């Protein structure tokens, strides 16, 4: 059977919401060319010529009248209706509960219904015209949406009890086989990838990419590649390019080959300015090979930097090394609190009595930074309450969770030692995405903190390891590209640049790069904007201001004057929206703003900080680990693209999920109406 997606959607959009009585059941499809719509004319049973209604309804033969003459009972399921129930409502009952009822013949009984197991086309007699048709495969498309949002493989729908549940509601429902779902996902993935490719062709600035790696339960090594840029309206744009399997043995060479293949597929290898990696040696080797390749082809400047978030995570692991046994005890206690309403209420009451703060349940018991820091918090801020709860519920909890004085002292020291980390990570997680310039400032602050503190003897070795990792990070980001990215952040400029990165040579190199690559930038491509004073004045510009602007423009005899003037002004307040600042000031610095669009898109982290440090990452890791190879790329990419605003498409047709839900709501309303009729008897 041939199916037309475009024709189906055309009739689909023209269709007004109808009751389930108006729906027809479409035969199950044998091909992969799946659509949302009705069958072709040749596959529909022609309707009889409209005729006048008579007092005898075609539906009455499927009901038997009770001896008292007050009710009618369905011969299929035995449901009773008042004798006064309109025959149209009886038809709705048959359409909703027993699709295919007109093919069962005359011999039906309420005790043993013999419904057709093969979906067939049914037709409701209409006074005039033809009833619109609705494909029951709409359910399968809704299930596809569910699989995407829940990040579940198609094999989920092969569970027989799930299929039986649908059969219980409607015996004629046919779920697609698993292979058909997989084929649909592959086609949707291809269609949406074309949209991503088309959108990247319109990007006029440089782009930044980030790499993340993980392994599944099948021991398959995956690499996700994300792309970020700043559009002409000065908004961050981010899209997942691909999730690809890295062939064994997963060395830098294999990573490099997989990465280049994706960049060429999207035709952006000449637009990539930077790559942020996960700090692994294999990723570093791959990025080094990519730089050599791009430099050899004279594609333009390219740099690669380590992920700041992963560096922080590794440093924190060093600090928590000595307290892991204590944290494990506290985490076990928190898990008991979360599992028992009585115990959690005891804790809340005792914390209030001891004035040890208010705590909202469930508490974060994640093994990530957010959970580990809360374990330290509980010991330091609610130690008395914790002890009291353990003693009160000793029969259930035992006394293994009680901490001695030495353990509490260790926790307090580590808690105070990591407080700067807590503040920095909180800032990074809130400011999404954080600019590389501000992250460099944060990392420099942590480096100074570790150097200035004198830890106790048992913390000295972890502190040395922490300092070593920070030095490694600082060495990798100490280059001209990061310098240019930092000074183009109007909150930082040269004033807040870390001493290790502040160099006169870097400033001259930045000036030369600006003149060489942005001096000829056409003004017409730049976004117009106003100064902060214009915004305060509601956009009105005085005549004197126009004269002043003309004087400023005339004073810029060459491109370097833009950089000089920009750096001569005081940095913006730290709470300033960087992209909004450049949008406002792009007319003052038309060429420099083009450079800012390129460099401010450099990603400071290879993953979203909240996914690494917070319990949100646990769910993501679980989904990745459990996803089978034949579904990983399609499901995860489609989910990311739809969350980013792209519409789910099958071939060239957008799937109208809003319309599907409207029709589902209409069907629910009809079922509700049938229920009301039942109550009237």
């Amino acid at each position: 059977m041939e199916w037309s997606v475009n024709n189906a959607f055309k009739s689909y959009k023209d269709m007004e919401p109808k009751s389930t009585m108006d729906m027809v059941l479409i035969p199950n499809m044998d091909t992969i060319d799946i659509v949302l719509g009705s069958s072709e004319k040749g596959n529909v049973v022609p309707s009889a010529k409209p005729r006048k209604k008579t007092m005898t309804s075609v539906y009455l033969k499927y009901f038997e009248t009770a001896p008292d003459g007050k009710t009618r009972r369905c011969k299929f399921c035995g449901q009773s209706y008042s004798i006064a129930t309109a025959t149209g409502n009886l038809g709705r009952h048959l359409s909703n509960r027993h699709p295919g009822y007109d093919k069962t013949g005359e011999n039906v009984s309420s005790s043993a219904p013999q419904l057709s197991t093969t979906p067939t086309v049914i037709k409701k007699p209409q006074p005039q015209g033809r009833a619109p048709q609705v494909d029951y495969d709409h359910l399968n498309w809704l299930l596809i949406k569910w699989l995407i949002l829940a990040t579940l493989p198609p094999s989920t729908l092969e569970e027989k009890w799930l299929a039986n549940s649908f059969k219980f509601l409607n015996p004629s429902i046919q779920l697609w086989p698993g292979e058909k779902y997989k084929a649909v996902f592959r086609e949707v993935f291809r269609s949406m990838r074309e949209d991503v490719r088309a959108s990247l062709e319109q990007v006029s600035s440089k782009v930044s990419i980030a790499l993340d790696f993980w392994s599944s339960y099948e021991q398959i090594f995956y690499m996700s590649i994300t792309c970020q840029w700043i559009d002409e309206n000065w908004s961050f744009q981010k899209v997942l390019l691909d999730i690809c399997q890295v062939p064994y043995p997963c060395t830098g060479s294999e990573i490099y080959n997989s990465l280049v293949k994706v960049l060429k597929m999207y035709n952006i290898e000449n637009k990539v300015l930077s790559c942020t990696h996960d700090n692994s040696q294999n990723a570093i080797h791959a990025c080094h090979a990519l730089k050599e390749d791009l430099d050899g082809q004279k594609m333009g400047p390219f740099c690669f930097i380590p992920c700041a978030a992963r560096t922080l995570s590794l440093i924190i692991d060093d600090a928590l090394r000595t307290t892991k046994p204590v944290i494990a005890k506290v985490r076990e206690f928190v898990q008991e609190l979360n599992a028992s309403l009585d115990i959690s209420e005891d804790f809340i009451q005792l914390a209030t009595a001891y004035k040890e703060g208010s705590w909202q349940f469930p508490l974060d018991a994640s093994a990530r930074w957010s959970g580990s820091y809360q374990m330290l918090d509980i010991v330091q801020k609610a130690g008395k309450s914790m002890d009291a709860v353990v003693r009160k519920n000793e029969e259930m909890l035992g006394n293994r969770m009680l901490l001695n004085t030495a353990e509490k002292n260790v926790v307090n020291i580590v808690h105070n030692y990591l407080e700067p980390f807590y503040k920095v990570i909180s800032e990074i997680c809130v400011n999404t995405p954080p600019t590389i310039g501000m992250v460099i400032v944060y990392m420099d602050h942590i480096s100074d903190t570790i150097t200035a503190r004198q830890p106790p003897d048992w913390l000295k070795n972890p502190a040395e390891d922490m300092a070593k990792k920070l030095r490694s990070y600082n060495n990798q980001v100490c280059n001209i590209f990061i310098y240019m990215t930092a000074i183009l952040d109007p909150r930082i400029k040269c004033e807040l640049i870390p001493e290790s990165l502040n160099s006169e040579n870097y400033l001259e190199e930045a000036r030369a790069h600006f003149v060489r690559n942005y001096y000829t930038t056409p003004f017409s491509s730049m976004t117009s904007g106003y100064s902060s004073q214009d915004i305060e004045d509601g956009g009105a510009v005085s005549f004197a201001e126009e004269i002043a602007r003309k004087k400023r423009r005339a004073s810029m005899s060459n491109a370097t004057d833009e950089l000089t003037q920009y750096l001569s002004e005081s940095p913006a307040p730290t709470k300033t929206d960087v992209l909004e600042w450049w949008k406002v000031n792009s007319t003052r610095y038309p060429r420099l703003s083009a450079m800012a669009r390129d460099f401010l898109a450099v990603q400071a982290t290879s993953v979203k900080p909240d996914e690494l440090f917070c319990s949100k990452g646990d769910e993501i890791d679980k989904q990745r680990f459990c996803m089978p190879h034949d579904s990983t790329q399609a499901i995860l990419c489609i989910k990311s693209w739809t969350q980013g605003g792209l519409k789910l498409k099958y071939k060239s047709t957008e799937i109208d999920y809003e319309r599907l839900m409207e029709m589902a709501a209409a069907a629910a309303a009809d079922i509700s109406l049938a229920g009301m009729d039942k109550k009237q008897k």
Side-chain angles (χ1 to χ4, degrees):
M1 179 183 296
E2 289 292 322
W3 297 83
S4 169
V5 176
N6 295 326
N7 292 337
F9 268 91
K10 182 177 179 182
S11 62
Y12 201 70
K13 293 179 179 177
D14 294 338
M15 190 189 308
E16 292 297 325
K18 301 293 182 180
S19 70
T20 53
M21 183 178 177
D22 294 326
M23 298 183 182
V24 297
L25 186 61
I26 302 300
N28 189 37
M29 295 171 291
D30 294 327
T31 65
I32 298 301
D33 196 8
I34 301 164
V35 300
L36 290 179
S38 60
S39 60
E40 296 183 17
K41 293 180 180 180
N43 296 321
V44 180
V45 177
S47 60
K49 188 175 180 179
R51 61 183 182 182
K52 294 183 178 180
K53 291 185 178 180
T54 65
M55 296 301 292
T56 302
S57 170
V58 294
Y59 307 124
L60 291 181
K61 63 182 179 181
Y62 301 106
F63 291 83
E64 56 186 6
T65 304
D68 58 5
K70 295 182 179 180
T71 59
R72 289 193 180 98
R73 188 174 66 172
C74 175
K75 294 181 180 180
F76 295 110
C77 63
Q79 180 162 336
S80 296
Y81 289 88
S82 169
I83 197 71
T85 299
T87 56
N89 289 337
L90 300 181
R92 288 190 180 90
H93 169 86
L94 294 171
S95 296
N96 290 337
R97 297 298 180 88
H98 314 295
Y101 62 91
D102 58 342
K103 302 297 182 181
T104 60
E106 299 295 331
N107 299 322
V108 293
S109 65
S110 59
S111 59
Q114 300 293 323
L115 297 182
S116 173
T117 57
T118 302
T120 56
V121 177
I122 60 174
K123 190 73 178 174
K124 170 196 168 185
Q126 294 288 319
Q128 53 184 336
R130 235 170 97 175
Q133 302 169 12
V134 177
D135 189 350
Y136 268 79
D137 281 329
H138 296 166
L139 170 63
N140 288 288
W141 281 101
L142 292 174
L143 290 174
I144 281 180
K145 184 77 169 183
W146 170 62
L147 291 175
I148 292 170
L149 295 178
T151 321
L152 296 171
S155 58
T156 304
L157 298 176
E158 295 178 358
E159 164 56 47
K160 69 174 184 178
W161 283 105
L162 180 63
N164 288 342
S165 298
F166 286 109
K167 291 287 186 180
F168 175 78
L169 295 175
N170 188 332
S172 298
I173 287 177
Q174 294 290 332
L175 299 185
W176 297 335
E179 288 303 318
K180 188 174 290 188
Y181 282 111
K182 293 175 186 177
V184 172
F185 277 121
R186 287 193 293 269
E187 182 56 46
V188 170
F189 169 75
R190 285 191 290 265
S191 298
M192 296 185 71
R193 185 170 60 183
E194 288 302 314
D195 289 347
V196 174
R197 181 184 293 152
S199 67
L200 288 171
E201 289 177 355
Q202 306 303 316
V203 176
S204 59
S205 62
K206 292 285 186 177
V207 301
S208 167
I209 60 173
L211 310 180
D212 190 24
F213 303 91
W214 76 92
S215 295
S216 71
Y217 73 96
E218 297 171 309
Q219 295 300 300
I220 295 176
F221 191 63
Y222 290 102
M223 172 176 64
S224 69
I225 308 169
T226 59
C227 178
Q228 181 171 290
W229 68 96
I230 299 172
D231 65 20
E232 294 185 356
N233 292 320
W234 289 95
S235 296
F236 274 116
Q237 301 295 334
K238 194 169 188 175
V239 65
L240 176 65
L241 297 182
D242 206 350
I243 291 177
C244 48
Q245 176 186 351
V246 179
Y248 183 82
C250 311
T251 62
S253 177
E254 284 78 27
I255 293 174
Y256 163 77
N257 291 330
S258 299
L259 176 58
V260 169
K261 182 179 179 181
V262 172
L263 296 180
K264 288 183 177 180
M265 178 178 63
Y266 285 101
N267 194 28
I268 60 172
E269 64 268 29
N270 62 337
K271 293 182 179 180
V272 177
L273 177 65
S274 71
C275 177
T276 307
H277 55 79
D278 71 338
N279 301 7
S280 66
Q281 287 302 312
N282 287 338
I284 293 174
H285 292 157
C287 290
H288 183 74
L290 179 61
K291 178 173 174 57
E292 289 185 340
D293 186 16
L294 296 178
D295 289 347
Q297 299 180 47
K298 297 182 179 181
M299 292 286 193
F302 173 79
C303 70
F304 52 94
I305 61 174
C307 173
R310 292 201 179 277
T311 300
L312 282 172
S313 181
L314 293 173
I315 292 172
I316 289 170
D317 285 343
D318 288 335
L320 294 176
R321 189 191 310 159
T322 56
T323 57
K324 283 186 177 180
V326 182
I327 290 177
K329 283 186 180 182
V330 184
R331 180 170 286 113
E332 186 179 357
F333 170 75
V334 170
Q335 289 168 344
E336 293 291 345
L337 288 182
N338 290 338
S340 172
L341 180 61
D342 292 337
I343 298 178
S344 61
E345 287 180 350
D346 286 343
F347 181 81
I348 293 173
Q349 292 174 3
L350 288 166
T352 302
Y354 288 128
K355 296 182 179 180
E356 292 186 328
S358 59
W359 303 83
Q360 294 184 350
F361 286 83
L363 298 174
D364 186 355
S366 170
R368 295 175 182 269
W369 162 250
S370 59
S372 295
Y373 194 78
Q374 184 155 73
M375 301 306 103
L376 302 177
D377 251 359
I378 289 173
V379 176
Q380 188 186 59
K381 299 177 181 178
K384 292 181 181 179
S385 302
M386 178 180 173
D387 288 346
V389 169
V390 173
R391 288 191 175 95
K392 182 179 179 180
N393 298 274
E394 187 172 356
E395 291 185 4
M396 180 183 298
L397 303 180
N399 57 9
R400 65 186 182 281
M401 299 178 191
L402 289 174
L403 304 182
N404 58 41
T405 303
E407 289 174 326
K408 291 180 180 178
N409 186 48
V410 167
V411 168
N412 289 334
I413 292 173
V414 173
H415 184 280
N416 293 332
Y417 195 80
L418 291 178
E419 188 174 6
F421 288 83
Y422 174 77
K423 293 178 179 179
V424 166
I425 291 172
S426 297
E427 285 290 322
I428 291 177
C429 289
V430 170
N431 295 313
T432 305
T435 65
I436 186 67
M438 190 55 70
V439 168
I440 294 296
V441 172
Y442 288 143
M443 298 293 277
D444 186 60
H445 168 68
I446 287 180
S447 182
D448 290 342
T449 300
I450 293 177
T451 303
R453 292 189 175 186
Q454 293 297 325
D457 291 341
W458 53 268
L459 196 54
K460 281 185 178 179
N461 287 337
E464 290 176 1
D465 292 338
M466 295 166 70
K468 182 179 179 180
K469 289 181 175 65
L470 270 172
R471 285 194 298 271
S472 175
Y473 176 85
N474 290 333
N475 290 337
Q476 292 182 67
V477 298
C478 187
N479 57 62
I480 179 59
F481 295 97
I482 302 304
Y483 176 84
M484 288 189 289
T485 302
I487 65 172
L488 290 171
D489 187 329
R491 302 168 299 177
I492 297 173
K493 298 188 176 180
C494 293
E495 182 174 310
L496 296 181
I497 288 284
E499 189 174 328
S500 60
L501 192 60
N502 203 356
S503 167
E504 286 294 329
N505 292 335
Y506 280 166
L507 181 57
E508 292 307 313
E509 287 184 51
R511 206 180 292 278
H513 180 86
F514 173 48
V515 173
R516 183 170 58 252
N517 294 283
Y518 297 92
Y519 181 75
T520 58
T521 299
F523 287 88
S524 59
S525 67
M526 304 311 301
T527 306
S528 61
Y530 299 95
S531 68
S532 56
Q533 185 63 43
D534 295 337
I535 295 177
E536 293 175 3
D537 296 339
V541 180
S542 66
F543 180 61
E545 177 61 24
E546 289 182 6
I547 296 175
R549 289 183 180 181
K550 187 178 295 185
K551 289 284 187 182
R552 283 195 293 267
R553 286 195 294 269
S555 68
M556 292 186 180
S557 58
N558 57 65
T560 59
D561 284 343
E562 285 190 29
L563 181 59
T564 301
Q565 180 177 340
Y566 166 77
L567 293 176
S568 67
E569 297 175 356
S570 299
T574 55
K575 292 186 177 180
T576 299
D577 184 319
V578 175
L579 298 189
E580 183 62 28
W581 189 95
W582 275 108
K583 182 177 182 180
V584 165
N585 289 278
S586 59
T587 51
R588 295 178 59 205
Y589 309 112
R591 296 182 177 93
L592 192 62
S593 63
M595 183 175 173
R597 273 184 64 199
D598 288 346
F599 280 84
L600 289 176
V602 175
Q603 300 183 62
T605 63
S606 60
V607 294
K608 292 181 180 178
D610 59 336
E611 293 180 2
L612 182 64
F613 294 116
C614 304
S615 56
K616 176 182 177 182
D618 291 334
E619 186 63 28
I620 294 174
D621 285 350
K622 181 178 69 175
Q623 293 169 349
R624 288 175 168 180
F625 183 79
C626 296
M627 188 65 65
H629 176 60
D630 58 7
S631 304
T632 296
Q633 182 187 46
I635 295 286
L636 295 182
C637 285
I638 293 171
K639 179 178 181 178
S640 177
W641 293 337
T642 54
Q643 289 176 336
L646 288 178
K647 299 296 184 181
L648 195 145
K649 294 177 67 175
Y650 180 78
K651 295 186 176 178
S652 60
T653 303
E654 179 183 320
I655 309 302
D656 191 350
Y657 276 102
E658 290 184 4
R659 179 61 176 160
L660 281 175
M661 295 308 296
E662 287 176 3
M663 300 186 69
D670 287 332
I671 294 174
S672 177
L673 178 61
M676 292 176 62
D677 288 337
K678 182 178 179 180
K679 291 181 180 179
Q680 292 176 0
K681 67 177 183 177

